[in-house]
Amino acid sequence: MSTSSFTMPFAGNDLNACEHERDPKELQAFLNDPKAKAMLLDRGRPALLPEGGLKWVKPNDLIGQNIADPGPLFLGKQGDVPVFAFSISTENALTEIESFQDMRVVAAQLSPMELALAGQAKSLFDWHDEHRFCAKCGAGSRGNRGGTTRQCDSCGAAHFPRVNPVTIMLVINGDDCLLGRGHGWPEGSFSALAGFVSPGETIEEGCAREIFEEVGVTIKSPRYVFSQPWPFPSQLMIGLICETDDRELVIDANEIEDARWFSRDEVEAVFAKRSDAFKRPPRFTIAHQLLRHWLKEG
Ligand SMILES: [Zn+2]
């Protein structure tokens, strides 16, 4: 979050995680609470109401249904309302009437809070899906503590969800900014350059390395702006603005398809929908918010 009036899409989750109320007995009491509510996700896609907004159900209505590992995912409490998420399959008759949608398509139909909660649930379910076996001994593991950890009963190891840091940066030269496009992107789409932070790197070093690898440009003074939890599957996007004196681009065609300098006027015109010089990144992305931030700074 950069200002009080702005919530970064997928951020702003206000739940109390109830870290000290997650033993099986306490979780059962939360499930039985008449105020409790649960969202449904199928392969990371939340169920929506026909008019938009998350569809909420009573957790107890789902007991006995075909609920995927790790079972009821306890996200925490919103005031005195226990909030759960369930991963289910649309092959299940229960869910035929539901409408499951990719959050990248329907982000605008969800409130900021719903987007944050559904994003958190998706990241955790994706992690469970890919960590069914203990990384230490190879035995099957199970969800624990309401689905926020996994436990191996064979060797006793506890496993915790991963968040992968990614730097995403707007490179600036004078009044121009550098945008690139990946292979296979929709025609005309350009966005900020981005890359995973590698072991042994600071955020600033990761940012400088990625830019040099992708476009051959040396940057100076990377400046942190804001960050975003990105649930596809579980990145922390770290938004930076950095300057360079290099105008000449040496594009690595293995990494990206194209990169170009765009003037502030061009970007402003695209954001005001007065120009289609390029297709801007969608509003729910940190790249969109970085570009907006830069326009406001100018
Ligand atoms: Zn183990």
Side-chain angles (χ1 to χ4, degrees), residues 134 136-137 152 154-155 157:
C134 175
K136 216 166 167 185
C137 78
C152 174
S154 178
C155 76

Side-chain angles (χ1 to χ4, degrees), residues 42-211:
D42 173 27
R43 285 159 289 174
R45 299 172 307 153
L48 265 63
L49 296 166
E51 63 271 29
L54 284 182
K55 180 180 173 65
W56 294 99
V57 300
K58 291 277 166 215
N60 273 340
D61 291 348
L62 297 165
I63 301 305
Q65 303 288 340
N66 185 21
I67 304 302
D69 182 15
L73 174 63
F74 179 49
L75 298 177
K77 275 169 92 176
Q78 198 160 38
D80 62 352
V81 177
V83 180
F84 287 87
F86 286 73
S87 180
I88 57 178
S89 165
T90 43
E91 287 158 18
N92 182 329
L94 165 82
T95 59
E96 271 174 14
I97 50 165
E98 315 297 353
S99 167
F100 291 87
Q101 304 278 351
D102 189 314
M103 276 182 274
R104 284 167 291 196
V105 178
V106 296
Q109 295 178 36
L110 299 174
S111 72
M113 187 58 63
E114 287 180 329
L115 196 60
L117 296 179
Q120 182 196 12
K122 180 187 181 299
S123 276
L124 283 165
F125 284 139
D126 285 349
W127 174 70
H128 284 288
D129 275 350
E130 294 186 354
H131 294 82
R132 301 208 175 282
F133 298 92
C134 175
K136 216 166 167 185
C137 78
S141 61
R142 61 177 169 84
N144 198 20
R145 298 183 59 71
T148 51
T149 69
R150 290 190 78 83
Q151 184 66 36
C152 174
D153 292 326
S154 178
C155 76
H159 299 281
F160 298 87
R162 286 196 57 156
V163 173
N164 296 300
V166 171
T167 56
I168 178 157
M169 42 273 174
L170 214 47
V171 180
I172 306 298
N173 175 260
D175 232 13
D176 295 345
C177 77
L178 181 64
L179 300 177
R181 52 176 279 113
H183 295 285
W185 285 18
E187 204 183 327
S189 292
F190 277 84
S191 186
L193 300 178
F196 285 97
V197 178
S198 294
E201 277 182 339
T202 63
I203 290 169
E204 293 83 352
E205 288 165 350
C207 165
R209 175 187 51 75
E210 278 292 338
I211 293 168

